[in-house]
């Protein structure tokens, strides 16, 4: 069943007339005979809107009780049972009452669209998810009811309902929007002139971006011209903190500034598995970025700024969005922070946006996990505390005329040893303990200035000091290693959770999975190798990266076997042993994805075989009917001419011979189309492309139609085209023959041509009955005749052959409505190299 179409009326604020415009469209469709009903429209007591509901069929709403109050919601089951052609559903972002079928009304609309019902709905610009922060900053009101931008962007039609702020305030003042007791408060708060102006600008910019997208889609589908890289690709650096949601929404707005923008949110954990990100918060941010049409990536990296820049350059990003550091002011003594480092190292090819947020300078919510491998700065501070610290303490104690006693001196040295263990780990602490014991022996244990100890009690004290220092250092190091292992296991569990989710959703392709492996382990290239048996050579079934895939698993830096005849090969660096567990999960998933792709390929092959069987069945039907009809006429005419019982006049003989000739021509045409269709279906068409003028081809295609049935308009200054002349002639001939067949008597078919970028467009317009939008693609299928009641003869192959030959020429063939009634076939073919039309002369004011 074909999916229904979605039309949305978008407004900048309440009261601009979205519901009124929707109801007006419903009345227009009802007048044209369309089955249109109202599923849910809220008129809010506005008289003019309520009047527009008269004359429209309304489906009874469903009543729900919540907190001792009865609410009414759209009855989705009733709409599905009624199954109208078009249904009106107001307020797309509305949140349904608990107990409803779905949480949000846009989810109800998705069900109706999947059932093949066309939906007309309304939404205000402030309800779009990505604009929540902007609207709150403008109006001071946080919108609780939102709809994902992707839902609105997928609409088949978006119509802006616009009104100037002054006119909207006048409508408000006249009581046409809210009741009189709410007018003054609304005008002085939400409906201030500045608020309305800003919201209107947001709506206009958002719709303008959609217009650019529609234009690019049209140019791409019709191959108007080659589109170069104007796509914005924005990488969002996430830390796992609550500010990530703000960064994602900001990046989504930046992506919408340019048509086709893409958002890639990336969370980078340290390559040793250490992370301070909240798994719960990351799950929320993953859901948010997917709702906004972006993708979420989890990457391991030793140095976070470098890993972020490497990821951004690897995906050809144009912008990076990071948040202002959450560090306290004193914490900047340990370094400039991730955002500042990324901005400095990004270079001229990447724009870096450092976005402020509410968590800035508040400190990190979770402590940073420490591991066996500490940061270089911490190790340096540990050695300074363990070696320089005891020397400075000795200098201080020997030059101050205060005798604290040996016990207190040992406690001071022990403090420095503990500090060295906390900062630098085991080695600086051991060095501090050894160095400190030597200094205590030399300077503070009688006899001084000698390494001998006179009092045995002092020997015990020094030994205890050394044991305590070593014990503290060992405990600190053990705690760090345990933290490292726990954090690494958490990072692995997140990656494995992603793999499990992708398996359940069935959404990961082999190339995407291999790219995920390359990103996760920071490799240069990843390949999946396979062989039939132990003696057969390895073959590469898929690879990603900048390096050539290895011929054998043994040639790779890392190889992971998958069964007996498959292996995952990685190039770039040698992975530690602890990473192979996660790599094994990736390898197993790669084998599953490969099997799924092969099953899909087999299913597609089976579908093509079924399609071939259907065509053969239709061919037998055509042979049994359409081909036998002209044969019967020829047989009857020949039998009559050979009859000895009848004396035929010259006029009768001429008429019978004309019937034989006409039947033979019909047979020749039908058999020609059958043979051409078989060539297209089997892929045996081999076009001989050469440069030629259209006026050499198109007139030859009109030989088979009456002279007065076609008007030809081919400009002489058209550029040459690169096509197979025979295939182009046959395409045009079939299109013109079809147009003449359905065109009213006395009305000529117009055949015109024009240049458009690097394409030439041939348009064949008739004034016939036309074809509905839902049937425009079906008329190009083999053995399809609109309405199964063709005028004249044929087996329904003419347009199918025409489209097949057009595509073999590198062009397209589509159907459009003729203004004023009828159908226009649009055939595009590529312009010959070196024959592009000159650009038109534009005024200086336009080009500057």
């Amino acid at each position: 069943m074909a999916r229904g179409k979605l039309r949305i009326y978008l407004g900048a604020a309440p009261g601009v007339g979205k519901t009124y415009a929707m109801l007006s469209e419903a009345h227009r469709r009802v007048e044209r005979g369309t089955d249109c009903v109202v599923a849910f429209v809220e008129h809010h007591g506005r008289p003019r809107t309520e009047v527009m509901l008269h004359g429209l069929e309304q489906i009874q709403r469903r009543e729900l009780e919540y907190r001792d109050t009865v609410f009414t919601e759209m009855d989705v089951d009733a709409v599905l049972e009624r199954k109208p052609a078009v249904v009106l559903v107001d307020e797309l972002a509305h949140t349904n009452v608990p107990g409803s079928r779905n949480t949000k009304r846009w989810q109800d609309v998705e069900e109706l669209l999947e059932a093949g019902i066309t939906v007309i709905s309304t939404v205000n610009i402030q309800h779009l998810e990505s604009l929540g922060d902007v609207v709150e900053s403008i109006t001071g009101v946080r919108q609780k009811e939102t709809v994902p931008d992707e839902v609105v962007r997928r609409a088949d039609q978006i119509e802006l309902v616009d009104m100037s702020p002054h006119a909207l305030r006048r409508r408000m003042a006249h009581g046409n929007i809210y009741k009189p007791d709410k007018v003054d408060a609304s005008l002085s708060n939400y409906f201030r002139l500045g608020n309305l102006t800003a919201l209107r600008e947001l709506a206009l910019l958002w719709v303008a971006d959609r217009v650019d997208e529609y234009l690019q889609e049209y140019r791409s589908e019709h191959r108007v011209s080659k589109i170069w890289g104007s796509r914005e690709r924005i990488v969002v650096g996430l830390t796992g903190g609550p500010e990530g949601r703000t960064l994602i929404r900001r990046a989504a707005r930046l992506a919408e500034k340019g048509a086709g923008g893409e958002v890639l949110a990336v969370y980078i954990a340290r390559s040793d598995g250490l992370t301070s990100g909240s798994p719960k918060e990351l799950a929320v941010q993953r859901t948010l970025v997917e709702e906004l049409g972006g993708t979420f990536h989890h990457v391991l990296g030793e140095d976070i700024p470098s890993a972020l820049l490497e990821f951004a350059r690897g995906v050809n990003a144009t912008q990076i969005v990071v948040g202002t550091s959450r560090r306290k002011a004193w914490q900047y003594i340990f370094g400039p922070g991730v955002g500042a480092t990324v901005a400095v190292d990004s270079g001229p090819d990447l724009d870096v946006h450092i976005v402020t947020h509410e968590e800035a300078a508040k400190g990190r919510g979770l402590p940073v996990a420490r591991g066996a491998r500490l940061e270089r700065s911490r190790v340096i501070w540990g050695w300074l505390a363990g070696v320089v610290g005891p020397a400075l303490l000795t200098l201080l104690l020997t030059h101050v005329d205060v005798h604290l006693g040996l016990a207190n001196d040992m406690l001071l040295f022990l403090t420095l040893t503990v500090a060295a263990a906390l900062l630098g780990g085991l080695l600086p602490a051991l060095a501090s303990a050894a160095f400190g014991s030597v200094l205590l022996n030399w300077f503070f244990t009688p006899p001084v200035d000698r390494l001998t100890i006179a009092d045995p009690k002092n020997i015990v004290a020094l030994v205890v000091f050394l044991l305590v220092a070593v014990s503290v250092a060992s405990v600190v190091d053990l705690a760090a290693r345990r933290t490292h292992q726990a954090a690494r296991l958490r990072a692995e569990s997140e990656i494995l959770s992603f793999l499990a989710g992708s398996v359940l959703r069935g959404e990961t392709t082999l190339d995407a999975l291999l790219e995920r492996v390359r990103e996760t382990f920071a490799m240069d290239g990843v390949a999946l190798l396979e062989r039939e048996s132990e003696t057969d050579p390895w073959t590469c079934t898929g690879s990603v990266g900048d390096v050539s895939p290895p011929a054998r698993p043994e040639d790779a830096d890392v190889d992971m076997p998958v069964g007996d005849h498959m292996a995952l090969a990685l190039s770039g660096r040698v992975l530690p042993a602890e990473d192979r567990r996660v790599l094994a999960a990736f390898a197993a998933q790669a084998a599953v994805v490969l099997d799924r792709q092969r099953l899909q390929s087999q299913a597609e092959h089976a579908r093509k075989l079924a399609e071939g069987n259907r065509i053969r069945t239709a061919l037998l039907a055509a042979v049994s009917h359409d081909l036998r009809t002209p044969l019967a006429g020829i047989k009857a005419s020949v039998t009559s001419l050979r009859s000895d019982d009848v004396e035929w006049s010259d006029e009768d003989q001429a008429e019978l011979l004309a019937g034989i000739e006409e039947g033979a021509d019909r047979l020749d045409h039908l058999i020609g189309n059958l043979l051409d269709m078989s060539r297209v279906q089997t892929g045996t068409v081999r076009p001989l492309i050469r440069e030629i003028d259209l006026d050499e081809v198109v007139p030859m295609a009109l030989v088979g139609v009456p002279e007065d049935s076609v008007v030809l308009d081919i400009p002489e200054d058209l550029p040459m085209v690169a096509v197979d002349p025979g295939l182009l002639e046959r395409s045009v001939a079939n299109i013109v023959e079809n147009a003449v067949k359905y065109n009213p008597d006395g009305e000529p078919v117009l055949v015109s041509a024009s240049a458009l970028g690097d394409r030439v467009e041939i348009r064949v317009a008739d004034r016939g009955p036309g074809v509905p939008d839902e049937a425009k693609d079906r008329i190009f299928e083999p053995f399809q005749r609109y309405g199964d009641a063709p005028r004249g003869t044929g087996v329904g192959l003419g347009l199918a052959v025409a489209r097949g030959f057009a595509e073999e020429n590198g062009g397209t063939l589509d159907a459009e409505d003729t203004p004023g009634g009828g159908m226009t076939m649009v055939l595009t073919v590529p312009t010959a190299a070196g024959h592009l039309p000159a650009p038109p002369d534009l005024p200086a004011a336009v080009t500057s």
Side-chain angles (χ1 to χ4, degrees):
M1 178 183 297
R3 178 181 169 89
K5 296 184 180 298
L6 175 61
R7 180 171 183 171
I8 294 179
Y9 286 91
L10 177 68
V16 295
K18 303 181 302 300
T19 305
Y20 192 93
M22 178 178 67
L23 293 171
S24 299
E25 175 64 18
H27 280 286
R28 285 192 293 270
R29 298 202 179 201
V30 170
E31 291 172 1
R32 295 197 299 264
T34 304
D35 183 15
C36 183
V37 302
V38 176
F40 190 98
V41 168
E42 188 61 66
H43 56 75
H44 298 288
R46 300 165 189 168
R48 295 186 179 182
T49 305
E50 186 176 1
V51 169
M52 292 296 293
L53 285 169
H54 296 168
L56 297 176
E57 178 184 349
Q58 300 186 48
I59 294 180
Q60 185 69 31
R61 300 183 186 180
R62 181 186 178 189
E63 294 186 353
L64 296 170
E65 185 174 355
Y66 180 64
R67 294 182 179 178
D68 300 328
T69 304
V70 177
F71 299 87
T72 60
E73 294 285 4
M74 177 176 65
D75 193 337
V76 180
D77 291 326
V79 177
L80 293 174
E81 182 179 356
R82 171 64 174 76
K83 198 171 177 55
V86 181
V87 63
L88 273 59
V89 181
D90 206 1
E91 299 178 354
L92 186 63
H94 171 75
T95 301
N96 294 328
V97 174
S100 300
R101 185 189 188 95
N102 295 301
T103 305
K104 305 288 290 187
R105 184 165 292 164
W106 63 264
Q107 296 171 329
D108 295 335
V109 169
E110 284 292 321
E111 285 196 37
L112 300 181
L113 293 173
E114 290 296 332
I117 301 174
T118 294
V119 179
I120 305 178
S121 187
T122 64
V123 70
N124 283 327
I125 193 68
Q126 66 264 28
H127 294 297
L128 297 182
E129 176 66 46
S130 67
L131 300 177
D133 294 341
V134 178
V135 173
E136 182 179 10
S137 66
I138 294 172
T139 64
V141 178
R142 183 69 182 185
Q143 297 294 331
K144 297 181 179 179
E145 294 187 332
T146 59
V147 58
D149 291 44
E150 189 62 21
V151 174
V152 182
R153 297 176 76 90
R154 285 201 307 264
D156 299 277
Q157 287 181 281
I158 300 176
E159 184 168 340
L160 177 65
V161 183
D162 189 27
M163 176 175 288
S164 70
H166 294 88
L168 183 58
R169 284 172 60 85
R170 283 197 301 270
R171 177 180 289 184
M172 170 71 72
H174 293 159
N176 295 330
I177 300 178
Y178 294 150
K179 294 181 179 180
D181 57 340
K182 297 182 178 179
V183 170
D184 291 338
S186 299
L187 289 175
S188 59
N189 291 287
Y190 192 92
F191 284 79
R192 293 197 302 268
L193 194 60
N195 290 357
L196 297 179
T197 303
L199 292 174
R200 187 189 189 199
E201 182 182 25
L202 280 178
L204 291 171
L205 289 173
W206 197 91
V207 174
D209 289 342
R210 288 295 296 146
V211 171
D212 289 338
E213 290 183 18
Y214 284 137
L215 180 60
Q216 287 197 12
E217 290 174 3
Y218 178 86
R219 289 162 63 93
S220 175
E221 292 173 359
H222 293 75
R223 303 180 183 177
V224 173
S225 63
K226 188 174 182 180
I227 300 175
W228 295 96
S230 58
R231 181 185 182 90
E232 288 290 346
R233 182 167 287 185
I234 303 171
V235 170
V236 186
L238 301 179
T239 64
E243 76 280 0
R245 283 174 275 182
T246 302
L247 302 183
I248 292 171
R249 293 190 181 99
R250 177 61 176 163
R253 293 197 299 272
L254 288 174
E256 290 177 358
K257 297 298 182 182
E262 183 180 359
V263 176
L264 299 90
V266 56
Y267 170 67
I268 299 177
R270 296 189 183 279
S271 59
D272 57 3
L274 304 181
T275 175
S276 62
S278 166
K280 181 179 179 181
E281 184 63 34
L282 286 174
V284 173
Q285 293 171 16
R286 179 195 294 271
T287 302
L288 176 61
V289 72
E290 290 176 351
E291 286 181 352
L292 295 176
T295 57
F296 185 91
H297 302 264
H298 189 128
V299 177
L300 299 179
E302 180 75 24
D303 182 56
I304 291 180
S306 299
L308 180 59
L309 289 170
E310 181 180 354
F311 175 84
R313 293 193 175 99
V315 298
N316 294 322
T318 57
Q319 301 181 54
I320 296 178
V321 175
V322 293
T324 303
S325 177
R326 287 184 287 157
R327 294 182 175 190
K328 299 286 188 180
W330 62 269
Q331 292 178 312
Y332 282 96
I333 63 175
F334 298 108
V338 173
T341 305
V342 169
V344 171
D345 297 340
S346 61
D349 57 335
L350 278 171
D351 294 335
V352 179
H353 302 266
I354 299 180
V355 180
T356 58
H357 49 83
E358 295 180 353
E359 303 297 322
K362 290 185 177 180
R364 295 187 177 272
L366 295 173
V368 179
R370 297 174 60 249
R373 289 180 288 177
L374 300 174
E375 296 179 4
R376 183 178 180 182
S377 61
R378 297 181 67 90
V379 174
I380 293 175
W381 280 104
W383 280 102
L384 290 175
V387 177
V388 179
L392 294 177
L393 179 61
T394 301
L395 183 64
L396 177 65
L397 293 176
T398 54
H399 287 76
V400 175
D401 190 17
V402 176
H403 299 286
L404 300 177
L406 181 60
N408 291 326
D409 293 337
M410 287 184 175
L411 289 176
L412 291 176
F413 278 93
L414 183 61
T415 301
L416 292 175
T417 302
V418 172
L422 292 174
L423 291 173
L426 182 61
L427 291 180
L430 294 177
S432 177
F435 187 44
S437 63
V438 171
L439 292 178
L440 284 170
N441 187 5
W442 184 271
F443 290 100
F444 302 101
T445 304
V448 295
D449 298 334
R450 295 177 62 184
L451 291 179
T452 58
I453 302 175
D455 190 348
K457 295 181 180 179
N458 292 336
I459 297 177
V460 174
L462 285 175
V463 171
V464 171
F465 165 78
L466 185 61
L467 291 176
V468 170
V470 172
S471 301
V472 170
S474 300
V475 170
V476 171
D477 183 70
L478 179 62
R481 284 189 283 111
R482 291 290 183 266
T483 304
H484 157 71
Q485 294 171 359
R488 181 175 185 83
L489 289 174
R490 184 171 66 179
E492 289 181 1
S493 66
E494 291 175 0
I495 295 174
L496 295 175
S497 174
F498 164 78
L499 278 177
S502 65
V503 171
L504 294 175
R505 294 190 297 267
E507 61 185 17
T508 304
T509 63
L510 181 60
D511 287 343
L513 180 64
L514 296 181
E515 181 63 28
R516 180 74 66 173
V517 175
R518 192 184 71 83
E519 291 177 358
T520 301
F521 297 100
M523 305 300 287
D524 295 333
V526 180
L528 184 63
L529 305 179
E530 187 182 23
R531 61 181 177 181
E532 294 294 333
S533 65
E534 297 291 341
T535 58
D536 291 329
W538 290 93
T539 59
C540 181
T541 58
S543 64
V544 295
D546 300 331
V547 297
S548 300
R552 303 178 305 167
E554 296 82 3
D555 300 334
D557 294 319
V558 180
D559 70 282
M560 175 59 64
V562 188
D564 296 331
H565 306 301
M566 189 178 296
L568 193 65
L570 291 77
S571 303
R573 65 187 178 94
V574 178
L575 290 181
E578 59 265 23
D579 284 339
R580 296 185 66 87
R581 178 171 48 189
V582 178
L583 184 60
F586 273 111
Q589 172 67 357
V592 172
V593 170
L594 182 61
D595 289 341
R596 184 167 61 238
Q597 287 186 353
R598 288 175 174 170
L599 290 174
Q600 290 174 348
S601 177
Q602 293 174 3
E604 178 65 18
H605 180 65
R607 187 193 65 79
K608 290 182 178 179
L609 290 177
E611 178 69 14
N613 289 331
R614 187 187 70 81
I615 292 177
R616 280 192 290 271
T617 302
L619 177 60
L620 291 174
V623 170
S624 64
H625 179 268
D626 295 272
L627 295 182
R628 293 180 64 183
T629 300
L631 278 175
I634 294 173
K635 176 67 174 176
S637 298
V638 171
T639 302
S640 299
L641 287 174
R642 296 187 61 187
S643 175
D644 297 332
D645 301 336
V646 181
E647 190 84 23
W648 299 104
S649 64
D650 294 340
E651 291 85 359
D652 293 337
Q653 291 183 6
E655 185 176 351
L656 290 173
L657 290 173
I660 294 173
E661 184 179 10
E662 181 182 355
D665 290 339
R666 289 166 56 189
L667 277 176
D668 179 69
H669 181 73
L670 292 174
I671 294 173
N673 272 337
L674 287 171
L675 292 176
D676 289 339
M677 195 66 240
S678 67
R679 292 169 60 199
V680 171
Q681 291 288 337
T682 57
T684 58
V685 179
R686 297 293 183 266
L688 301 176
I689 305 296
R690 66 183 181 90
E691 298 181 1
I692 193 171
D693 287 319
L694 276 184
D695 54 11
E696 298 181 33
V697 180
V698 176
M700 298 296 296
L702 307 182
V703 174
V705 298
E707 294 183 0
D708 57 349
S709 62
V710 176
V711 174
L712 192 60
D713 181 17
I714 306 293
E716 297 181 357
D717 58 349
L718 280 180
M720 299 181 72
V721 295
V723 295
D724 183 316
L727 298 183
L728 178 61
E729 178 184 337
R730 193 58 182 268
S731 294
V732 176
N734 284 0
I735 296 170
V736 172
E737 179 187 345
N738 184 79
V740 171
K741 183 191 304 182
Y742 287 93
N743 208 43
D745 295 335
E747 286 282 346
V749 172
L750 176 61
V751 180
S752 60
S754 59
L756 188 62
D758 59 353
R759 319 289 292 177
V760 171
E761 193 174 80
I762 304 171
R763 304 179 71 88
V764 181
D766 64 58
R767 292 293 181 180
V771 175
D773 291 339
E774 59 271 15
K776 281 188 171 62
D777 285 332
R778 196 162 62 246
I779 62 177
F780 294 103
E781 297 178 4
F783 303 104
Q784 293 293 322
R785 291 170 293 188
Y786 175 60
D788 283 333
R791 295 171 54 192
T793 58
V795 293
L797 288 176
L799 293 181
V801 171
R803 171 174 274 190
F805 284 175
E807 292 175 349
E808 292 294 335
N809 271 323
T812 60
L813 177 61
D814 298 293
E816 298 179 356
D817 292 329
T818 301
M823 187 170 63
T824 298
M825 291 291 176
V826 183
L827 173 64
T828 64
V829 291
T831 303
H835 293 275
L836 295 178
D841 294 331
L842 298 177
V846 176
T847 58
S848 62

